[in-house]
Amino acid sequence: MSGQLGPDPVLTPCPVGVSVFPQSCFSYLRRVLTATPSRLAVPLPADIISTVEFNHTGELLATGDKGGRVVIFQREPESKNAPHSQGEYDVYSTFQSHEPEFDYLKSLEIEEKINKIKWLPQQNAAHSLLSTNDKTIKLWKITERDKRPEGYNLKDEEGKLKDLSTVTSLQVPVLKPMDLMVEVSPRRIFANGHTYHINSISVNSDCETYMSADDLRINLWHLAITDRSFNIVDIKPANMEDLTEVITASEFHPHHCNLFVYSSSKGSLRLCDMRAAALCDKHSKLFEEPEDPSNRSFFSEIISSVSDVKFSHSGRYMLTRDYLTVKVWDLNMEARPIETYQVHDYLRSKLCSLYENDCIFDKFECAWNGSDSVIMTGAYNNFFRMFDRNTKRDVTLEASRESSKPRAVLKPRRVCVGGKRRRDDISVDSLDFTKKILHTAWHPAENIIAIAATNNLYIFQDKVNSDMH
């Protein structure tokens, strides 16, 4: 059942005003988008959002879920009658991207869950995106049609061929207006390129190639060629017992088509240059922070694993997320990160219980704002964290329906470890670890963010910006 299309998403407007970083950041809750009807108290596993991605202009926002479905939201243009509606995202198209499969050679079920979505730069009126599950990458084309042809000579209105003996005159077909229809069609299917589960895809700045990474290999594909790819990284040892690390994420440089970075479960980053060799087993730069022996514990290697890596828009910096921190790296400095921010350091004493319930293996994502001055990442209890790189101020906000009453102020949250508690503080022992913000995305130009919380998608906007509309 999980592979079938569910009901259409339900939209719940939730206007909320709050100013977090008065001069630099935001947040104003514009809308809650949910993939299941409100009558379901507990969301179905298939409806849980597994990836969120803005396109290059920010006009479209795509989400993928564990049921293999992709939902695209479009930002509505500003209306003269309703000037404050500018910025609202409404459902644009919904389609089934992947279906569950079964690998008979390995007796292995392949989930339909969408691991990643990446938009391609727009070349014409149509939009294109890549979506992937564990094994198969698909290229989709999204087009609009608001006219239909009428008056065929050899076909009737239903498209069936006429009896030629009844055709006694010729007519010129005409285009008649019709209701806008969004058509999504599969253009390419890139299959059989990976032995292990695909964890990331990244489109190159040349707009012709992209790469896909699994635990041990990274492949380079051409967008027009589906039957072959080039293996550019292979860390699989001759004897699998010698395996010490796996690839966790990878991304192309935003401006230099020959550069890409990949992260590992050991907490290191390797910057590779495809001009140096066809197989980039030898990295150009290794970014690794030396471990403090006094802080070493059983969990050190687990919590140092990098779950996400993102180049800044300028291409000068890299942002990484491990279990407890987000770090900013300068491409010209390999020895250590230039900035380290604690996301939820209060969990350091809870690592044992987090290991037992498998939460310690959660893979949180991170995101830059459009000017690379603020970074964002998720946490537990539906909290998400934002760090202003200029002022060094940070804030914790909560994405929940309970705190999203009309016109209510979305207050910054604070977790209390012990001792005196303020009125609105939440104890670290009261955190709900089943509610986690793993997937986030930031509008490429404006202070608008998308936060995925189980089956809900929260759209936040800067209060300063919203007041201008």
Side-chain angles (χ1 to χ4, degrees), residues 164-175:
L164 296 182
S165 62
T166 63
V167 180
T168 58
S169 62
L170 293 177
Q171 57 183 342
V172 178
V174 295
L175 291 173

Side-chain angles (χ1 to χ4, degrees), residues 21 39 43 52 82 119 144 166 240 254 271 273 315 318 321 331 334 340 363 365-366:
F21 299 132
R39 65 177 179 270
V52 185
W119 290 91
E144 292 182 354
T166 63
M240 284 295 283
L271 185 71
D273 190 339
M318 295 181 295
R321 172 68 202 265
L331 260 64
E334 303 169 58
T340 299
K363 293 175 171 57
E365 296 175 3
C366 52

Side-chain angles (χ1 to χ4, degrees), residues 388-459:
D388 190 312
R389 298 181 59 208
N390 297 324
T391 64
K392 304 304 178 186
R393 295 176 64 186
D394 64 270
V395 70
T396 301
L397 295 174
E398 182 180 8
S400 70
R401 287 184 173 274
E402 289 74 17
S403 61
S404 302
K405 297 177 183 178
R407 307 312 306 172
V409 174
L410 192 62
K411 295 180 180 178
R413 302 303 304 270
R414 183 174 177 270
V415 178
C416 176
V417 178
K420 293 183 179 180
R421 285 181 57 183
R422 299 177 190 171
R423 181 180 176 184
D424 296 327
D425 285 358
I426 180 170
S427 170
V428 66
D429 297 318
S430 303
L431 295 175
D432 188 344
F433 293 104
T434 63
K435 296 179 179 179
K436 55 193 80 171
I437 305 295
L438 300 177
H439 313 291
T440 61
W442 205 310
H443 189 288
E446 299 181 38
N447 275 340
I448 299 175
I449 59 173
I451 305 289
T454 56
N455 65 318
N456 295 321
L457 182 69
Y458 292 83
I459 308 292

Side-chain angles (χ1 to χ4, degrees), residues 190-350:
F190 305 88
N192 306 318
H194 288 273
T195 306
Y196 306 97
H197 293 175
I198 298 171
N199 56 45
S200 56
I201 52 177
S202 179
V203 180
N204 202 345
S205 59
D206 63 10
C207 301
E208 292 184 354
T209 58
Y210 75 93
M211 69 178 174
S212 56
D214 63 27
D215 289 347
L216 300 179
R217 296 188 178 100
I218 300 177
N219 292 340
L220 181 69
W221 301 81
H222 193 285
L223 287 163
I225 302 172
T226 61
D227 59 352
R228 64 181 181 273
S229 61
F230 298 94
N231 181 224
I232 54 176
V233 173
D234 187 348
I235 65 169
K236 182 180 179 181
N239 184 353
M240 284 295 283
E241 293 181 359
D242 298 330
L243 183 66
T244 59
E245 63 180 334
V246 295
I247 298 168
T248 56
S250 64
E251 188 177 63
F252 269 119
H253 191 280
H255 309 305
H256 303 299
C257 62
N258 54 290
L259 295 178
F260 68 92
V261 66
Y262 69 91
S263 58
S264 83
S265 57
K266 278 193 169 182
S268 60
L269 303 171
R270 290 175 174 85
L271 185 71
C272 300
D273 190 339
M274 291 191 293
R275 296 173 300 183
L279 189 63
C280 300
D281 282 353
K282 294 182 179 179
H283 50 266
S284 300
K285 290 187 176 184
L286 174 64
F287 300 84
E288 199 169 35
E289 187 174 20
E291 185 183 11
D292 184 356
S294 62
N295 291 332
R296 179 155 185 83
S297 70
F298 171 79
F299 306 107
S300 295
E301 190 165 323
I302 301 174
I303 64 174
S304 65
S305 176
V306 175
S307 56
D308 194 21
V309 57
K310 296 276 174 59
F311 277 106
S312 63
H313 295 84
S314 66
R316 171 72 185 271
Y317 305 103
M318 295 181 295
L319 177 64
T320 62
R321 172 68 202 265
D322 56 42
Y323 190 68
L324 294 178
T325 67
V326 281
K327 298 173 181 175
V328 177
W329 300 78
D330 190 320
L331 260 64
N332 297 325
M333 192 170 116
E334 303 169 58
R336 63 184 63 84
I338 59 171
E339 299 164 27
T340 299
Y341 302 97
Q342 299 294 332
V343 178
H344 39 209
D345 198 49
Y346 46 78
L347 295 182
R348 201 173 287 275
S349 61
K350 302 282 185 183

